[in-house]
Amino acid sequence: MEQQLRRRAAWGWRLGAGLAVGALVLATFVTSSTASPAPRAVGKTQAFNVKRGGTAYWAMAPATTPDWIFPFEAIQYFSVANIDQFQYLMYRPLYWFGSPTSASPNVDFSLSLAKAPVWSNGNKTVTIHLKGWRFADGQKVDAQSLVFWLNMMKAEAGNWAGTVPGPATFPGNIKSYSAPGGAGGNTVVINLDQAFSTYWYLYNELSQLIPMAEAWDVTSLTGAPGSGGCGAVSHGEMTGAATLKACTAVWTFDTDNNGTAKSPQMSGDLATYTTNKLWDEGVDGPWKLSGFVASTGQSTFVPNPSYSGPQKPILAKFVEVPYTSDSSAFNALAAGGATAPQVGYLFPQNTPQKPAGLGPTTAGPNAPQLNANYTLNEWSSWSINYFPENYDSTLGAGGHAGMVFRQLYFRQALQDMVNQPGIILTYLKGYGIPTYGPAPVYPKNSFAHGVELKPGGPYPFDPGKGISTLKSHGWHVVTNGTSRCVKPGTGAHECGAGIPKGTPLTFQEVYLSGANYLTQEVDYEVSEWAKAGIQVSLKAEPFDSVLKTALPCVPKSTPACHSWDMANWGGGWSYDPDFMPTGGEIFATGAGSNSGDYNSATNNRLIVETHKSSSLSAFYQYENYLAEQLPVIWQPVVNAGATGEAEISHNIGGVLPINALQNLTPEYWYFK
């Protein structure tokens, strides 16, 4: 290592009944400087004596739809909509985080494909024992299934959004891996290049692994399962050149060459998701995809009769309903009727102002139009919110935008003019959490510390300070005009390296369309920046388009990765599957989800220390450094996953409590 980095972009459904202070077990992640605590499984599966059947409708986030089915994705597909709310219903990760009976984002071994990992050799070796669950085609989820994913990762690390370069990060920290019991056995042994915190390795590395069906180890629709050779288990070691070459061919087929194939037939071809039998054969989760509308993303799921897990679906059908805007989604709730969503959102513009003093875990009054059928629920997600600037951009600032963004003083000036408390109060109606650094502030936890807990963070809202900062670094500031560099150079009071005289402060921000609150927020930010002569033009795009715009130039430089300035998908990053918020996937140099190509040797070193040490002091050093260095522009986390508060129908049960992640578990839902 969602999103995202599993840029798991945080825009997506997140819901819960409210987290009590101290309820988050993640607060005890790190307790000593010498040893990591044993991973703690939480929650148990539920058994309901209720009437079975019925169709439940769930509202997707506006303008946010799934567009990738294969559980191995590059950054442009690494989103909550694709992973937590689509793939995970069908294809389970090795370890499941977030028990359906707990609000905490902790590992739940009862819902995992493997038992708790066993450590040896001074924490340099981890042994994984799979439980032997089954795929829909009858194949066992065995050692070969896990080796298949590991081999593909080794061959195609550049196309996995969770990749972080370097020997101390995933996948470079894996020295070797083997299957002592052979392909059909249940054991995989991973040898690491050095000792790590076992808690971090489970919560941020093993959490990424997704066993894959042999049915996908092919290079054609008619190929025999396993004929592709990517899941080959030979002499216990799976790192040979021939295997890796085979994996590249399999990856190219399964992904339609990352969705660019001229004659697509796999993950890049949305129209064939329900007609291609391979996607059905690889299901090991509780749900199977029975309907998918390629043009809208509407997804219909039915129970998987072959599911080996402890909680079989109670519903007969589960439907994910798309909406083009927040107004259309709200109108569907207000209209009611047989196809109205059982679970949806209350968007900021429809939300009554939250009374002062309620705090971040208590909901205020519901919208009058929804009171008869829905209950309003407040929730704080395990995420941070930000938008990246592109340090390699040649679009804005007369072709020098990337060089301008590389100046810390300029990023400080931008952040000085972002009024997070004002945005929360005015545009979010009091429902929101400020982001001042890489650790989530809520739910309450032990990671948020130091400058992140200061009112306003390290850069409280102060437009005058931002203007003064620009003036002191060689810019002629023109309020509501265009400021320009008048003192080029690298001195303390000059514009900085690579910024010629006359460079204008003109940029473009691509942002998520269809969300009224975000439109208001970015309009407000642009108006504040204009006071300093920073002119930002806005371009609204659907969610998927914003993600596909925000491409890094590392490891591969393309014209597209240089041609954007700022990208705001509205939700920042959900820490999943990087549950311990060490930030390697999003802020380490060359990380798969480091959209803007932020680069800091100090930051890289501090991140590695958080991977090795079981002391919170190592995390605090990293956290405070990054909060002050501003690798991105921080903005408020919007409750319920960047959409608004959660609305739950009076006639649906099993939804609450929901953990602080955004995984959907409708197998627990039932009609009252």
Side-chain angles (χ1 to χ4, degrees), residues 5-17:
L5 168 99
R6 188 181 198 155
R7 177 172 69 192
R8 181 138 322 155
W11 175 272
W13 180 71
R14 300 173 181 171
L15 168 68

Side-chain angles (χ1 to χ4, degrees), residues 4 39 52 104-105 111 135 144 222 235 273 283 285 344-345 389 411 424 454-455 480 493 514 525 535 549 580 602 608:
Q4 151 165 313
R52 294 185 173 272
S104 301
L111 297 181
F135 291 105
Q144 185 177 37
T222 57
H235 306 295
Y273 279 4
V283 168
Y345 312 100
E389 311 106 313
R411 303 197 300 274
I424 292 171
K454 284 178 54 180
N480 295 322
H493 300 290
E525 291 170 349
Q535 296 297 329
T549 295
M580 186 176 177
T602 300
V608 170

Side-chain angles (χ1 to χ4, degrees), residues 177 365 533:
Y177 46 94

Side-chain angles (χ1 to χ4, degrees), residues 239-246:
T239 57
T243 298
L244 299 183
K245 182 178 180 180

Side-chain angles (χ1 to χ4, degrees), residues 152 156 246-259 261 266:
M152 183 167 288
E156 294 296 329
C247 285
T248 293
V250 171
W251 172 85
T252 301
F253 172 72
D254 286 340
T255 68
D256 294 322
N257 194 24
N258 217 17
M266 291 293 287

Side-chain angles (χ1 to χ4, degrees), residues 215-412:
W216 297 342
D217 190 4
V218 294
T219 56
S220 73
L221 290 175
T222 57
S227 61
C230 184
V233 179
S234 177
H235 306 295
E237 295 290 344
M238 286 70 70
T239 57
T243 298
L244 299 183
K245 182 178 180 180
C247 285
T248 293
V250 171
W251 172 85
T252 301
F253 172 72
D254 286 340
T255 68
D256 294 322
N257 194 24
N258 217 17
T260 63
K262 294 181 180 179
S263 302
Q265 50 191 340
M266 291 293 287
S267 198
D269 190 356
L270 281 65
T272 62
Y273 279 4
T274 55
T275 58
N276 184 345
K277 65 182 182 65
L278 296 182
W279 300 131
D280 187 72
E281 291 174 347
V283 168
D284 61 0
W287 299 92
K288 298 171 68 172
L289 188 66
S290 65
F292 186 82
V293 182
S295 60
T296 66
Q298 178 161 313
S299 309
T300 301
F301 296 89
V302 295
N304 170 21
S306 303
Y307 178 52
S308 306
Q311 181 66 37
K312 309 298 192 282
I314 300 168
L315 299 170
K317 191 177 293 186
F318 175 68
V319 182
E320 299 184 352
V321 184
Y323 296 96
T324 57
S325 67
D326 44 17
S327 59
S328 62
F330 176 79
N331 290 339
L333 293 175
T339 60
Q342 272 69 42
V343 179
Y345 312 100
L346 182 61
F347 304 95
Q349 67 270 27
N350 305 115
T351 305
Q353 189 72 35
K354 186 175 185 178
L358 284 185
T361 61
T362 304
N366 202 356
Q369 304 96 313
L370 306 183
N371 262 331
N373 297 317
Y374 294 92
T375 300
L376 181 65
N377 292 268
E378 165 73 279
W379 184 75
S380 300
S381 61
W382 189 237
S383 62
I384 58 176
N385 198 1
Y386 61 84
F387 65 86
E389 311 106 313
N390 184 1
Y391 292 78
D392 295 311
S393 174
T394 58
L395 177 64
H400 307 290
M403 303 308 295
V404 175
F405 292 142
R406 294 184 189 195
Q407 310 304 315
L408 175 59
Y409 77 81
F410 183 75
R411 303 197 300 274
Q412 290 171 336

